[in-house]
Amino acid sequence: MSDNSKVTLGKTLRDARIAKGFTLDDLQQATKIQKRYLIAIEDQNFDELPGDFYVRAFIKQYADMVDLDGAELLKQFDSTLPSTQTQEYVDKVNESNPETRSQQRKVDDRYVQLRRTIPVIGIVIVVLVVLVGIWVAAAHNGNSGTKDNVDSSSVSVSGSSTKTSSSSSSSSSQSSSSKSSSKKKAAKTATFKKLSSTTSGSTWELKNASSKPKVSLSATSSAWMSVTISGATTWQGTLSTSTSHSLTIPSSATSVTFKFGNAPATKVKIDGKSFNFNSSTSTSSASSSSTTTSSQVQTVTLELK
């Protein structure tokens, strides 16, 4: 290579250093390469370096510090640089670079520390597993003991005639309470009583309904209807075989008025019980002149008691 090529390598490194704002002193502190060797590299005086194997190592360190590709730079100017043995080059680079040796020592220290830590972690895990196993076994034994005590108490109670009689009395009381409760539930079933009827509608009395009766409206064919509670219309619409409507009567309500556009096709349930407002049967409290409600359009009033 010509002298121009040698100058080009040094100039490339010097220009990159200046562009980064580094002085030779800065570079010496960062790379641990003596300043005189840095100057020799920039001036292409490779003979001033301690040996041929240092040339490539120092140039690569210099290039990497100024953000150049050291490997590419060495490849580009390979013919202008002294040749070295590969392994010798690597060994000398590591030996002459304290930072590299320091990093290697850190890696070795971390590896040794990891090897020491793994057995400790394993022991801790084993101890935890054993403790958990003991706790589970103790809890299981405690539950078994409690169950045995309960069973023993049951056997003792069964063996005592006095306590057996008490148990029988208690069972009888519970049975009576259940029957009483069933009677109360039966007594709470909604009942309907017709008070009067005309050709266009009827008036009924509702007893034993819940505090807030639930009304379910449906139809076997298209049917218009509306619901008025205590004088205020709360809903109106048209139902078909595939639709239905539900509402709740407030506890403060005293009456509910239904208007049915197609009464024969309309079905009403209150608290789950069918309200057969189309029934032709009158009660004793209804007027003797009451007639059967058979018209298609009907107004049905339900008085809540």
Side-chain angles (χ1 to χ4, degrees):
M1 294 287 295
S2 65
D3 291 342
N4 186 45
S5 298
K6 295 180 180 180
V7 172
T8 299
L9 174 60
K11 186 175 184 302
T12 300
L13 294 172
R14 183 186 297 108
D15 290 345
R17 173 177 62 79
I18 294 173
K20 293 292 290 183
F22 292 154
T23 64
L24 288 171
D25 292 329
D26 296 333
L27 210 59
Q28 176 181 248
Q29 184 176 1
T31 62
K32 309 303 180 184
I33 301 174
Q34 295 182 25
K35 183 176 179 179
R36 61 193 180 96
Y37 294 147
L38 297 174
I39 295 173
I41 291 173
E42 290 185 353
D43 293 341
Q44 296 290 127
N45 296 326
F46 301 137
D47 294 339
E48 296 183 11
L49 270 64
D52 292 343
F53 42 79
Y54 287 101
V55 176
R56 294 175 184 270
F58 286 176
I59 289 176
K60 188 176 186 307
Q61 284 183 266
Y62 189 133
D64 291 341
M65 282 301 302
V66 295
D67 289 343
L68 293 178
D69 188 339
E72 182 62 29
L73 197 65
L74 290 173
K75 182 178 180 181
Q76 181 180 352
F77 295 99
D78 181 70
S79 61
T80 65
L81 300 175
S83 60
T84 59
Q85 296 296 326
T86 302
Q87 187 59 44
E88 180 186 13
Y89 168 75
V90 172
D91 293 340
K92 289 297 183 180
V93 168
N94 291 336
E95 179 182 349
S96 63
N97 190 345
E99 183 177 356
T100 301
R101 293 197 302 273
S102 175
Q103 291 176 351
Q104 184 63 40
R105 282 197 299 271
K106 289 180 180 179
V107 171
D108 294 340
D109 291 342
R110 285 197 295 269
Y111 177 70
V112 172
Q113 185 177 5
L114 181 61
R115 290 186 59 183
R116 292 175 180 175
T117 303
I118 289 176
V120 176
I121 295 174
I123 293 172
V124 171
I125 292 174
V126 171
V127 171
L128 289 175
V129 170
V130 172
L131 291 176
V132 170
I134 294 173
W135 178 80
V136 171
H140 178 72
N141 291 336
N143 291 336
S144 298
T146 302
K147 185 176 180 180
D148 291 341
N149 291 335
V150 172
D151 292 341
S152 299
S153 299
S154 300
V155 171
S156 176
V157 170
S158 299
S160 173
S161 59
T162 303
K163 291 184 179 181
T164 301
S165 300
S166 299
S167 298
S168 299
S169 300
S170 177
S171 299
S172 299
S173 299
Q174 292 178 356
S175 178
S176 299
S177 298
S178 299
K179 291 179 179 179
S180 176
S181 177
S182 299
K183 289 180 180 179
K184 289 180 180 178
K185 290 181 180 178
K188 285 293 183 181
T189 303
T191 58
F192 307 98
K193 181 179 180 181
K194 185 188 289 185
L195 301 179
S196 63
S197 63
T198 64
T199 56
S200 61
S202 57
T203 301
W204 295 73
E205 181 183 73
L206 171 63
K207 287 185 177 182
N208 299 325
S210 60
S211 60
K212 294 181 179 180
K214 297 185 181 299
V215 179
S216 177
L217 303 173
S218 60
T220 57
S221 63
S222 181
W224 178 91
M225 60 193 76
S226 70
V227 182
T228 301
I229 300 176
S230 296
T233 300
T234 59
W235 179 82
Q236 62 178 351
T238 300
L239 299 180
S240 63
T241 55
S242 61
T243 59
S244 63
H245 182 75
S246 298
L247 56 92
T248 300
I249 301 174
S251 58
S252 60
T254 58
S255 65
V256 181
T257 300
F258 302 94
K259 289 186 179 180
F260 303 121
N262 187 2
T266 303
K267 293 185 178 181
V268 180
K269 285 186 178 182
I270 298 179
D271 281 348
K273 185 173 182 180
S274 296
F275 174 29
N276 189 10
F277 59 89
N278 285 310
S279 173
S280 61
T281 304
S282 300
T283 65
S284 59
S285 62
S287 172
S288 60
S289 62
S290 296
T291 60
T292 301
T293 55
S294 58
S295 64
Q296 188 171 20
V297 178
Q298 292 187 33
T299 300
V300 179
T301 300
L302 195 59
E303 295 182 354
L304 308 179
K305 300 295 181 181

